Amino acid sequence: MTRHVRQRISDMSAEKRALLEQKLRTRLGSGETSPDHYDALILGGGVAGLTLALQLRRARPGIRVLVVERQDHPVPETTHKVGESTVEIAAHYLRDVLGLREHLETRQIRKFGLRMFFSSGANTDITDRVELGSSVFPPLATYQLDRGRLENELGGMCRVEGVPLLTGCRVQEVRLASGQKYHEVDLLAGGERRTVHGRWVVDATGRGQLLQRQLGLRREVGHTANAAWFRLAHPIDIGSWSDDPAWHARLAEGQRELSTNHLMGPGYWVWLIRLASGSISIGIVTDADAHRFESFNTRERALEWLRRHEPQCAEAVEEHAQRIQDFRVMKDYAYSCDRVYDGAARWCLTGESGIFLDPLYSPGLDLIAISNGLVTDLVTRSLDGEDVTAAAGIHDALYRRITDMWLAIYQQQYELMGNARVMSSKVIWDTAFYWGVFGLLFFQDRFRSVLSTPSVAADLERLTDISNRVQAFFREWAAIENDPLDPCFIDLYAPLNFMVELHAGMADELDDAQTAERFSTNTRLFTQLAGQLITSVIEAHGERYHDDRVVAQVQRWQCDPLITELIAGYRRERAKRPTGDGWLAPRAGDSGESGKGAAVTTRHGTDQSASNVSEVSYA
């Protein structure tokens, strides 16, 4: 470098020097700039692949990315894919990380939260069912998505930002290279064969699982469930299923039809998701042992299944049956993977090409958001010249640990869906845990550094133990619970002090130290909540001394070291940080009609005791 050049660089502002450094790194990292050579080849141009391409481009503006997609674009707006509902992580990723706010707010539907209706009798009157959901819009917006509409928007954004998208193109063969050589991928489009080269290959082919199959990485899981779904070109309004004014008065704002609605029953749930295109997505999801797949695996059988289990839904569908747009099934849909990222071999799996758990709580797009962030971190660091072998091992271990923890929310839990008393507390626990653990880490962009921050890593290990034990506790509780919950409304959000704090707290502006402290605070909170739940259940059933089965279960709980520790944590913390008990419905005889509990309201009106809940900050 000449003295003149060095002088010009030294005269630059810090901002311009940083920009120059970034350009040089990009140029050096890319190496080969000839046609058909790329820094990253993304195989699959659905939501997972397109969002990853955009995220890579935002992280490294000069990166050369190619997206290969089998389908032609534009795709139909009401495309035949699941994943229409988002929750907070995916919404934040699409809206704030990738800049899709305008599209989401003008071309999709703002979601009115999660809403569940638990079975009652023959399910002929929705007002006879326990309802769990929000009475107001939570401040952090989530959305219902027409997937085709979203994918077309993402494809257009990629083209605007200079990311080539090859559509109508099939992957014929992937030849993974070793060392510094480029991977080679053979493509077929319009009868013509083409070979492209990439430093990194990312499989985003969804259930095509191209690399997972090629490398023999699939891992079976102990969760066996099946699904069938269809779209109806008519906007079914679940709010029209009753004209009871008290039932309608439960909501302070919003419309039930804009929620992700769930009709819950023993071993099953049915979703109803309104879409901006005017269609509605309806799905049946069942535990394989509780409901035979063959009982709903065709359109006619699915409608008959709805008539038997959800007659109000069946009636609404059959009124417009001629407008059913499609029908699809998925048998034994859950699976995991032995490895999702390999830094030495320079390949990654993202989205359903690696791991898929369950559609309940809409985690699919969340896992895409988390995975894409980890992939982006590995690819950009590698192109900067860093050896990311160890980093990929850490990211891989973290991602698979998270998905294993998430899987426990579903595995052996479908049997609880017919028990409103147990399941309502589980849903609130699951949602709070999602906001306070996974949501906090994602909003604060800390997944990349979780395992390198000792206090956070230790807390995550502790939370894993707590979560797994609580999920098992729900099954144990359900096995002895014989007191049904009367029709009532359980407000998922507004009156529950810890839910309000955990929801809003995800988006707080925190530095590294503050995030670690908040995570530690949340760990103590979940210890307390777990102890509160267990204590309440034991107190509710402790006097059933005439029932040997109940006595034996309570004794097992009292002898369990972790449960003893959780109860002690609750007793230690409850005076300092009192939590409302409105999320609990375990007490014998404590129905919605009794008016007990901050979150429980009866079908005839709101329980005024909700205003007495102590509002506590856990920040």
Side-chain angles (χ1 to χ4, degrees):
M1 183 183 296
T2 67
R3 181 182 303 174
H4 175 67
V5 172
R6 286 197 299 270
Q7 183 62 47
R8 288 186 61 187
I9 293 175
S10 66
D11 290 340
M12 287 181 177
S13 66
E15 182 179 354
K16 289 185 176 180
R17 283 200 301 273
L19 182 61
L20 176 62
E21 180 181 357
Q22 180 66 37
K23 288 182 178 179
L24 290 172
R25 283 183 174 180
T26 299
R27 191 173 300 169
L28 292 171
S30 297
E32 182 68 62
T33 59
S34 62
D36 286 337
H37 284 71
Y38 298 89
D39 297 315
L41 299 175
I42 300 176
L43 309 181
V47 167
L50 294 172
T51 53
L52 176 60
L54 288 171
Q55 190 168 2
L56 285 168
R57 196 73 169 180
R58 304 284 168 80
R60 289 283 296 270
I63 194 171
R64 302 192 72 212
V65 181
L66 175 68
V67 180
V68 178
E69 167 56 28
R70 183 179 61 182
Q71 284 190 299
D72 291 318
H73 269 232
V75 298
E77 282 197 334
T78 312
T79 193
H80 204 115
K81 295 184 179 180
V82 290
E84 296 104 338
S85 176
T86 66
V87 280
E88 285 79 7
I89 289 175
H92 173 58
Y93 180 59
L94 295 172
R95 180 186 60 240
D96 304 319
V97 176
L98 298 180
L100 282 153
R101 179 183 296 274
E102 182 179 358
H103 172 79
L104 294 171
E105 293 180 353
T106 63
R107 300 282 290 159
Q108 306 287 358
I109 289 178
R110 181 174 180 181
K111 170 179 165 178
F112 189 34
L114 170 149
R115 191 168 305 277
M116 293 183 173
F117 300 91
F118 296 95
S119 283
S120 176
N123 291 333
T124 56
D125 183 352
I126 199 163
T127 67
D128 282 339
R129 305 175 76 151
V130 173
E131 177 184 4
L132 181 150
S134 295
S135 59
V136 298
F137 278 101
L140 299 179
T142 55
Y143 308 92
Q144 315 277 45
L145 304 175
D146 269 302
R147 281 287 298 272
R149 183 176 289 189
L150 174 64
E151 290 179 15
N152 289 335
E153 178 71 14
L154 291 169
M157 292 173 67
C158 283
R159 292 187 177 94
V160 167
E161 298 203 16
V163 176
L165 172 60
L166 298 182
T167 61
C169 187
R170 290 182 175 273
V171 176
Q172 297 292 98
E173 184 180 359
V174 178
R175 294 183 293 279
L176 296 175
S178 59
Q180 296 302 309
K181 294 182 180 179
Y182 279 74
H183 305 302
E184 295 181 345
V185 178
D186 292 337
L187 308 175
L188 183 65
E192 295 185 4
R193 192 180 180 94
R194 174 182 175 185
T195 300
V196 294
H197 309 77
R199 294 181 62 82
W200 282 81
V201 170
V202 181
D203 184 359
T205 58
R207 289 184 173 266
Q209 300 170 336
L210 193 149
L211 282 183
Q212 187 191 102
R213 296 175 189 275
Q214 181 172 321
L215 298 173
L217 297 171
R218 184 182 176 96
R219 178 162 59 87
E220 300 301 329
V221 297
H223 177 48
T224 306
N226 307 309
W229 70 98
F230 56 91
R231 287 153 180 85
L232 183 72
H234 179 80
I236 289 176
D237 178 6
I238 199 170
S240 68
W241 292 6
S242 174
D243 57 5
D244 183 346
W247 185 75
H248 286 282
R250 290 173 175 176
L251 307 186
E253 61 183 12
Q255 301 165 270
R256 285 182 174 88
E257 65 171 326
L258 300 183
S259 295
T260 298
N261 286 295
H262 303 69
L263 307 177
M264 312 293 290
Y268 78 85
W269 58 284
V270 173
W271 80 66
L272 296 96
I273 302 175
R274 278 288 312 279
L275 303 173
S277 61
S279 296
I280 186 167
S281 174
I282 300 175
I284 300 169
V285 189
T286 74
D287 178 85
D289 293 329
H291 298 266
R292 292 173 54 251
F293 179 58
E294 291 74 20
S295 66
F296 61 92
N297 66 345
T298 68
R299 171 176 160 171
E300 292 71 23
R301 290 173 180 173
L303 292 177
E304 177 57 32
W305 188 97
L306 287 174
R307 291 186 201 105
R308 290 198 307 273
H309 298 282
E310 294 294 343
Q312 276 196 294
C313 181
E315 182 180 359
V317 170
E318 289 175 331
E319 185 178 351
H320 305 281
Q322 73 281 6
R323 305 189 70 181
I324 293 177
Q325 296 170 290
D326 47 37
F327 183 84
R328 187 174 179 182
V329 299
M330 194 175 292
K331 186 176 182 180
D332 193 14
Y333 52 66
Y335 53 87
S336 188
C337 191
D338 286 331
R339 192 171 188 86
V340 288
Y341 316 128
D342 191 318
R346 292 174 284 113
W347 58 259
C348 298
L349 314 179
T350 194
E352 292 184 35
S353 65
I355 295 171
F356 183 82
L357 305 177
D358 197 275
L360 185 66
Y361 302 133
S362 308
L365 289 172
D366 285 351
L367 293 177
I368 286 172
I370 295 169
S371 178
N372 281 358
L374 297 175
V375 172
T376 297
D377 183 60
L378 293 174
V379 172
T380 55
R381 287 165 63 180
S382 171
L383 294 178
D384 285 342
E386 181 179 341
D387 183 347
V388 296
T389 301
I394 293 170
H395 286 0
D396 179 79
L398 172 66
Y399 186 75
R400 289 188 294 112
R401 178 184 298 182
I402 289 167
T403 54
D404 283 346
M405 189 190 312
W406 222 313
L407 179 64
I409 294 171
Y410 309 110
Q411 193 164 323
Q412 298 180 303
Q413 305 296 67
Y414 268 53
E415 62 193 60
L416 309 181
M417 291 178 177
N419 189 324
R421 188 177 292 279
V422 175
M423 193 67 188
S424 59
S425 291
K426 171 175 159 56
V427 171
I428 293 173
W429 167 273
D430 292 345
T431 305
F433 198 89
Y434 167 80
W435 289 346
V437 179
F438 306 128
L440 178 66
L441 291 175
F442 188 80
F443 272 73
Q444 303 303 322
D445 192 20
R446 294 297 185 271
F447 272 105
R448 293 176 297 170
S449 59
V450 166
L451 297 186
S452 60
T453 307
S455 67
V456 175
D459 284 334
L460 185 61
E461 194 72 28
R462 167 74 171 165
L463 287 165
T464 302
D465 292 340
I466 293 172
S467 177
N468 290 341
R469 187 62 190 93
V470 168
Q471 295 299 332
F473 178 84
F474 285 126
R475 294 193 296 275
E476 295 159 358
W477 172 19
I480 64 169
E481 183 57 67
N482 61 359
D483 185 30
L485 190 60
D486 290 338
C488 61
F489 176 50
I490 303 174
D491 199 318
L492 180 63
Y493 176 76
L496 298 174
N497 51 334
F498 63 88
M499 294 290 275
V500 172
E501 295 292 338
L502 291 171
H503 176 85
M506 289 185 290
D508 288 346
E509 293 186 8
L510 305 174
D511 60 25
D512 288 353
Q514 290 170 326
T515 300
E517 177 55 34
R518 177 72 63 81
F519 201 71
S520 179
T521 299
N522 288 356
T523 301
R524 294 194 300 274
L525 171 62
F526 287 113
T527 300
Q528 179 180 350
L529 292 174
Q532 181 186 18
L533 170 69
I534 294 164
T535 299
S536 297
V537 174
I538 290 176
E539 289 177 351
H541 297 279
E543 295 184 2
R544 291 174 61 187
Y545 51 83
H546 58 281
D547 190 326
D548 291 343
R549 187 170 54 92
V550 174
V551 171
Q553 181 59 74
V554 171
Q555 289 176 341
R556 284 194 293 272
W557 286 334
Q558 292 172 331
C559 294
D560 186 315
L562 180 52
I563 282 183
T564 301
E565 183 182 341
L566 294 172
I567 292 173
Y570 164 58
R571 291 173 175 169
R572 183 174 60 250
E573 296 291 330
R574 62 182 172 180
K576 295 183 290 184
R577 299 182 178 87
T579 55
D581 64 355
W583 68 289
L584 302 170
R587 292 180 292 279
D590 177 17
S591 73
E593 298 293 333
S594 72
K596 294 181 180 179
V600 178
T601 67
T602 72
R603 60 181 291 184
H604 303 297
T606 302
D607 175 13
Q608 296 304 312
S609 67
S611 62
N612 296 324
V613 177
S614 173
E615 293 294 338
V616 180
S617 173
Y618 295 93

